Amino acid sequence: LGIAEAGWQVDIVEKSPTIGGKMAQLDKTFPTLDCSACILTPKMVEAASHENINIYTYSEVAKVSGFVGDFTVDIRKKARSVSIDRCSGCGICTEKCPARKADSEFNEGLAKRGAIYIPFAQAIPNVPVIDREQCLKFLNGKCGICEKICPAGAIEYQQQDEIITTKYGAIVLATGFSPISLENFEELGYASNPDVITSLEFERLTNAAGPTKG
């Protein structure tokens, strides 16, 4: 937002289906205990509506060449199987999906999600993505319920990954973080005791929008 406000064009490349990162998973923030979503979601909306910002979600940087002032970047835009332009975000498809066996990444695996899903209610863009490894249509060709009930006709099973090549003067790398796996730390009892949880799991459990409704 700072760069865009200075008048420069900004492309945000985010590998997950929505911007927001780990902060979107938090319930409260230190030290004021303010609602995390209350701080984050207005900035997400502002980024999405800013005339100088273009957001590539469910995308990854595939290749970078060149030098400062003259970078050439290949962005792999993965197939969502849902049209961002036509989808209204009504959520009917996510409610009716019969394949609900996948662990919710947003809820740290503490809840299940459908094969077509929106990570969380305030996601930007508020458009679902189809997990092709879980979707019955891609596994055996026998479902297609979401396509039949979508009032906007936004389901596109035929979508393919797309490579977008663009030139940039500068690149800002925001690495983020991922918690280490605790499966190998048996002295903490995480793998054997369901009452031992991580801090991120705790955040989801205490969140009113989490798997246990807080």
Side-chain angles (χ1 to χ4, degrees):
L1 283 168
I3 297 171
E5 284 296 321
W8 299 97
Q9 291 292 319
V10 177
D11 286 353
I12 298 176
V13 181
E14 167 60 47
K15 65 180 180 181
S16 71
T18 175
I19 58 174
K22 287 289 190 293
M23 186 171 176
Q25 295 178 268
L26 305 182
D27 184 45
K28 300 290 191 295
T29 54
F30 179 84
T32 58
L33 296 185
D34 286 332
C35 161
S36 178
C38 300
I39 300 170
L40 177 67
T41 51
K43 292 185 179 296
M44 293 167 59
V45 172
E46 187 179 354
S49 59
H50 201 290
E51 62 181 2
N52 287 341
I53 297 178
N54 180 47
I55 299 175
Y56 293 107
T57 52
Y58 208 47
S59 304
E60 294 185 274
V61 173
K63 182 182 177 182
V64 177
S65 59
F67 47 87
V68 175
D70 188 20
F71 288 113
T72 300
V73 180
D74 289 348
I75 301 170
R76 179 178 296 278
K77 190 176 179 181
K78 293 182 285 187
R80 298 180 78 100
S81 304
V82 179
S83 170
I84 290 182
D85 296 329
R86 291 199 301 274
C87 178
S88 64
C90 68
I92 295 176
C93 58
T94 62
E95 295 173 3
K96 300 296 183 182
C97 178
R100 309 193 67 84
K101 297 182 179 180
D103 289 336
S104 168
E105 297 87 351
F106 186 76
N107 282 312
E108 292 294 303
L110 298 171
K112 299 296 182 181
R113 61 160 173 78
I116 183 169
Y117 67 99
I118 297 175
F120 61 102
Q122 296 82 23
I124 298 292
N126 193 25
V127 175
V129 60
I130 293 180
D131 181 348
R132 295 188 176 190
E133 294 183 359
Q134 300 290 333
C135 178
L136 300 176
K137 178 71 173 181
F138 285 97
L139 292 176
N140 54 37
K142 294 182 179 180
C143 186
I145 289 177
C146 56
E147 183 180 36
K148 297 172 185 175
I149 65 174
C150 177
I155 306 300
E156 296 180 347
Y157 297 124
Q158 73 280 7
Q159 268 191 16
Q160 299 295 323
D161 290 1
E162 179 184 357
I163 297 292
I164 299 169
T165 302
T166 313
K167 285 189 172 294
Y168 299 101
I171 296 172
V172 177
L173 181 62
T175 60
F177 74 94
S178 294
I180 62 173
S181 173
L182 296 181
E183 302 296 332
N184 296 324
F185 295 86
E186 287 300 325
E187 67 272 19
L188 302 177
Y190 179 80
S192 58
N193 191 333
D195 291 330
V196 178
I197 60 176
T198 68
S199 56
L200 268 180
E201 289 172 340
F202 178 76
E203 291 285 345
R204 296 313 305 153
L205 290 172
T206 57
N207 193 294
T212 60
K213 308 300 180 186

